[in-house]
Amino acid sequence: MRKSIVKKLNHYLSALDGGETLRIARVLNRQVERLNIKYVSDSGSPRDIRLVLRPWFIQPRELRFFHRLIYAFKAAHQKLCLLYLHNPRIRELMPLRPDEQKWFNRINKDKFQKYQTVFGRWDTNVSFDQRDRITGVKFLETNTVGIGGIHYIPVVSEGIEEILKLGFEREIRPYRLLPQADPRRILAEEIRLHARLIGRGSLNVVFLENRDYLGGTIELPELSRYFLKLGISASLADPRDLYLKKGEIFHRGRVVDIIYRDSELQELIDIERKGHNMEVLKQAFVNNQVISSIAGELDHKSGFEVFTNPDFAGFFSPAERSMFRKYLPWTRLIRERRTTDKAGRRIDLVPYAIKNREQLILKPSRAYGGKGVRIGSLSSGSQWEEGLRGALRSRDGYVLQERVEIRQENFPVFNAKGELRFDDFYSVSGFLVTRNSTAVLGRFSREMVVNVARKGGIIPAFILKGGK
């Protein structure tokens, strides 16, 4: 079904004459500006995020499958915080820096917080390309603090919806294109639920953003505006703008019920080191008023070793272990040590990494934005060994991971001259999943390491309904 729809859309776009192509280019540019589909460089300069003109067409049965899979993995991942607190071997695999550990210990001083709300994105190698059946599914990593995509997922699809309505929709009848779940609304529902669970009677939300950082996404201001449209009191705040009054957290004269953070713990510690008081924010964590909660800090890529190393199998159910074997890549924190390979054989890890370079990748355990990733098959032997030496010296650690297939797709895009062209790009997906909802973020790039921060683009996505 999807294959025939993709073929029809490609044919429709290929048949456009110069005037029609120009009209579509103008519509797209207008939509990008109107919807604020931008990324800001570290110097503070905004750039438009590239979009492809062919969206992903996701079938309802596929969405149901991925919801079940990712919700199950999310539940398993939530065990990491308790395991970290009680198991020194897991703390060794997922080390926090000394100042981070102080925050973590203070927040969990009395008892483990009952309601840990982590709003995350679960990244996979899935691409909803021309295949009618998706195979070879593997998770790539988890992102559980200040995730990207909450604003972009709905607006990029809205951005090309007008283009599809210009003529293509009638070509695919009786099928219809429906919008997927809006992650902005999903986030609002998660915040409402968490506020209820911790006993907050009102709902004043602060989106926490470090004003020292110029670069990154423009999502938090957009989310604040969206929440106001939903009738939820919302504002932007730097952590230094919060204050305590009669035991409550305040911002600009208003009580704060929930804080949604875009900053990892280390960013907050860096502010503290500059002489600013972070006691208010520490209290917010202790009160469990922060989303993602402190458990969000444990999205280290080395966490995948906890799931794929048989030494820790006893912490998980048979169903979870089966899921790990099928859908997670073999992962090990890189150190001079003995461990097991994918087949369960005992190995010396560093010699194994050198010998099996073509089948492996090297990733910083805690970096994001695609920084520091080295792909063995794209590296010479000397480059790979240099990367391993650097990884062994790293403060936060690197992981070795089984190389996962990243598929290439042929997409219609506008080139720098405004001409419509078909080109090959690597593509990956990220899923935002709650109990009742799923939203999909598609990304594309010429590089195998696909990331918007590295000038990758975003793939719109629709649910494909109807037919016989």
Side-chain angles (χ1 to χ4, degrees):
M1 177 174 66
R2 180 166 45 232
K3 186 174 183 179
S4 64
I5 301 266
V6 169
K7 185 176 180 180
K8 285 181 180 180
L9 179 54
N10 288 345
H11 181 267
Y12 166 74
L13 292 170
S14 299
L16 296 174
D17 62 29
E20 290 170 320
T21 300
L22 181 60
R23 178 176 59 151
I24 286 178
R26 286 172 177 165
V27 168
L28 185 62
N29 289 336
R30 186 172 69 242
Q31 293 286 69
V32 167
E33 287 297 318
R34 181 179 72 85
L35 297 166
N36 205 7
I37 304 173
K38 296 183 183 297
Y39 188 88
V40 182
S41 70
D42 290 342
S43 63
S45 299
R47 62 172 170 84
D48 293 343
I49 296 175
R50 292 189 75 191
L51 306 183
V52 293
L53 293 180
R54 173 176 65 75
W56 277 346
F57 304 116
I58 305 173
Q59 299 173 64
R61 60 177 173 80
E62 293 172 327
L63 203 64
R64 290 191 295 271
F65 166 77
F66 284 109
H67 179 270
R68 289 193 301 271
L69 171 62
I70 292 163
Y71 195 73
F73 180 49
K74 180 180 177 181
H77 194 272
Q78 286 175 332
K79 295 181 179 181
L80 281 182
C81 195
L82 265 177
L83 291 173
Y84 178 91
L85 287 170
H86 298 298
N87 191 301
R89 289 192 62 200
I90 289 177
R91 289 197 293 276
E92 288 177 7
L93 287 179
M94 308 172 68
L96 294 173
R97 300 162 193 161
D99 285 339
E100 291 176 314
Q101 191 67 58
K102 289 178 183 177
W103 280 56
F104 202 90
N105 291 344
R106 175 173 171 177
I107 293 161
N108 294 285
K109 181 181 177 182
D110 297 324
K111 62 179 180 178
F112 182 69
Q113 292 172 334
K114 184 176 181 181
Y115 303 110
Q116 288 278 331
T117 296
V118 171
F119 196 75
R121 194 186 72 223
W122 312 87
D123 290 349
T124 78
N125 68 335
V126 171
S127 61
F128 295 92
D129 53 18
Q130 295 190 42
R131 295 170 296 164
D132 283 326
R133 184 168 176 267
I134 305 300
T135 58
V137 175
K138 292 286 186 181
F139 286 93
L140 300 174
E141 61 186 47
T142 61
N143 294 274
T144 53
V145 176
I147 62 171
I150 302 173
H151 164 70
Y152 295 132
I153 288 173
V155 299
V156 296
S157 296
E158 185 180 341
I160 73 156
E161 190 174 18
E162 184 177 345
I163 292 170
L164 297 177
K165 288 183 180 296
L166 288 175
F168 175 65
E169 272 201 334
R170 64 174 176 266
E171 300 284 334
I172 63 169
R173 292 174 184 164
Y175 295 105
R176 294 174 295 132
L177 301 181
L178 300 180
Q180 57 173 326
D182 190 326
R184 299 170 298 184
R185 191 172 290 274
I186 294 172
L187 175 60
E189 291 168 356
E190 288 287 281
I191 287 176
R192 281 194 184 102
L193 175 60
H194 187 77
R196 268 199 317 274
L197 290 173
I198 64 171
R200 303 301 298 186
S202 57
L203 189 58
N204 296 316
V205 179
V206 159
F207 289 95
L208 202 68
E209 188 170 43
N210 181 0
R211 61 173 171 254
D212 292 342
Y213 289 150
L214 299 176
T217 69
I218 48 76
E219 294 199 284
L220 290 191
E222 293 292 340
L223 288 174
S224 180
R225 284 189 280 270
Y226 184 83
F227 270 49
L228 290 171
K229 290 179 183 176
L230 294 179
I232 300 172
S233 173
S235 60
L236 287 172
D238 183 273
R240 288 158 283 200
D241 297 335
L242 304 175
Y243 59 96
L244 282 171
K245 182 179 176 182
K246 296 181 180 179
E248 288 281 6
I249 298 167
F250 276 77
H251 175 244
R252 294 180 182 172
R254 285 176 173 264
V255 172
V256 175
D257 295 294
I258 299 292
I259 296 169
Y260 178 85
R261 62 176 173 134
D262 190 45
S263 301
E264 294 183 322
L265 205 54
Q266 189 59 51
E267 293 180 40
L268 306 175
I269 291 167
D270 290 343
I271 295 172
E272 189 173 39
R273 284 177 178 161
K274 293 175 183 177
H276 300 284
N277 192 334
M278 290 284 105
E279 286 303 310
V280 178
L281 197 52
K282 290 177 184 177
Q283 189 60 48
F285 273 107
V286 170
N287 296 348
N288 203 7
Q289 291 177 258
V290 183
I291 295 175
S292 287
S293 71
I294 195 63
E297 295 300 318
L298 299 179
D299 62 352
H300 304 193
K301 297 175 184 68
S302 56
F304 275 30
E305 175 167 353
V306 179
F307 305 130
T308 62
N309 189 329
D311 291 351
F312 305 108
F315 295 123
F316 303 100
S317 69
E320 288 171 329
R321 296 197 296 270
S322 176
M323 173 178 62
F324 300 156
R325 285 192 296 271
K326 188 169 183 180
Y327 297 111
L328 266 64
W330 173 91
T331 304
R332 293 292 185 270
L333 184 67
I334 183 71
R335 287 177 180 168
E336 295 275 6
R337 63 180 177 125
R338 294 275 291 173
T339 184
T340 53
D341 65 8
K342 187 179 177 181
R345 297 174 294 232
R346 299 295 295 177
I347 57 168
D348 289 310
L349 187 59
V350 175
Y352 175 85
I354 294 170
K355 182 179 179 181
N356 294 276
R357 167 175 59 87
E358 294 278 339
Q359 289 78 46
L360 298 169
I361 61 174
L362 193 61
K363 294 180 178 179
S365 185
R366 301 190 63 185
Y368 52 89
K371 297 173 186 174
V373 176
R374 193 180 293 260
I375 300 169
S377 60
L378 301 181
S379 305
S380 67
S382 60
Q383 289 171 333
W384 181 248
E385 291 184 30
E386 179 187 5
L388 288 172
R389 288 193 293 270
L392 289 166
R393 295 191 299 268
S394 168
R395 175 181 65 171
D396 293 323
Y398 273 65
V399 297
L400 273 175
Q401 197 169 78
E402 168 193 356
R403 182 170 60 83
V404 170
E405 180 188 18
I406 306 297
R407 294 182 65 87
Q408 280 188 302
E409 293 189 64
N410 190 259
F411 284 110
V413 292
F414 285 110
N415 63 18
K417 297 179 181 178
E419 301 166 327
L420 184 59
R421 292 287 183 266
F422 287 80
D423 212 341
D424 291 332
F425 297 94
Y426 292 100
S427 61
V428 295
S429 54
F431 292 81
L432 283 68
V433 171
T434 60
R435 181 178 295 275
N436 299 312
S437 302
T438 307
V440 183
L441 173 69
R443 292 172 293 165
F444 71 93
S445 175
R446 292 192 185 282
E447 300 179 19
M448 198 177 292
V449 180
V450 183
N451 202 286
V452 173
R454 294 166 66 112
K455 297 188 177 180
I458 298 179
I459 305 167
F462 293 93
I463 308 301
L464 187 63
K465 293 273 294 202
K468 297 180 181 179

